[in-house]
Amino acid sequence: MIKPLFQNLLVMVNGTEASINAVKYAVLMAKLYRSKVHAVYVVDTATIKQLTLNRIFIEEESREYEESLEQNGLRYLAYVDELGKAKGVKIETELRRGAIWSEIVASAEERHIDAILLGGSDHDSTDQKEINSSTFKSILLNARCSVLTVKERMIEQLYKLA
C-alpha cells in the first residue's frame, strides 16, 4: 500500500501575512488528508550573533532584540494554534533558535515531515523578498522532503468555508 503523501506537514511561521496564509493552507490540507500539522517559528540568533560580531549591535541590544523576537514568536504560535482549533485541527507549535533555514530543515528531519509549507506572496516588500529568497533557497536546497510555496489567492475564503 502506498503511504499517504501528506501525513506530516511543517509550516514555517515568521509573522508575515504570507506565513499565516500558509498555516491556513496547512489546516485545509490537514482536514482533507488527515495530516498532522507542525508550526515552527525560529528566533534568528544566527543573524543576531553576526550583527553583534560586526559591532552593529552591542551585547545588551542583542539580548533585547532576541527577547523581542521570542515574544513575537510565542504570540504568532499562539495565534496559529487558535487558527487550527477554530477548524478542529490540532497544530503542534515549536519555538526554535538558530539559523532559520537550518532549524526548519532540522525540525522537518526530526519529525519525519512529508512537506514543508512556506508562505509566498507577490506583494511582499523588496527587503522581505531578499530575506525570504535566501532562507527559502537554503530550505529548498537542504530539505529532504517536498517544499511547497503557498500562493493561494483565495485562501481566506477557503479557510472560512472549511
Side-chain angles (χ1 to χ4, degrees), residues 51-68:
L51 292 171
T52 304
L53 290 173
N54 290 330
R55 300 177 192 264
I56 294 170
F57 277 175
I58 61 172
E59 201 64 42
E60 186 177 324
E61 286 175 315
S62 300
R63 278 193 304 278
E64 288 174 6
Y65 188 58
E66 187 175 333
E67 288 172 14
S68 172

Side-chain angles (χ1 to χ4, degrees), residues 129-146:
K129 276 189 177 179
E130 286 176 24
I131 292 167
N132 282 344
S133 67
S134 169
T135 300
F136 284 19
K137 187 182 291 185
S138 294
I139 292 169
L140 281 168
L141 291 172
N142 293 285
R144 293 184 183 165
C145 63
S146 296

Side-chain angles (χ1 to χ4, degrees), residues 52-93:
T52 304
L53 290 173
N54 290 330
R55 300 177 192 264
I56 294 170
F57 277 175
I58 61 172
E59 201 64 42
E60 186 177 324
E61 286 175 315
S62 300
R63 278 193 304 278
E64 288 174 6
Y65 188 58
E66 187 175 333
E67 288 172 14
S68 172
L69 288 176
E70 183 176 336
Q71 292 306 312
N72 286 340
L74 292 172
R75 200 167 50 252
Y76 292 132
L77 290 173
Y79 179 61
V80 164
D81 185 53
E82 289 174 25
L83 288 173
K85 283 180 181 173
K87 299 300 178 182
V89 173
K90 178 166 178 20
I91 300 177
E92 279 189 41
T93 60

Side-chain angles (χ1 to χ4, degrees), residues 9-38:
L9 304 173
L10 184 145
V11 184
M12 183 181 89
V13 177
N14 61 10
T16 62
E17 181 181 345
S19 76
I20 297 304
N21 286 341
V23 170
K24 292 175 182 176
Y25 196 88
V27 167
L28 296 177
M29 288 180 74
K31 289 180 77 68
L32 186 60
Y33 300 114
R34 294 185 177 90
S35 309
K36 292 181 184 173
V37 179
H38 308 275

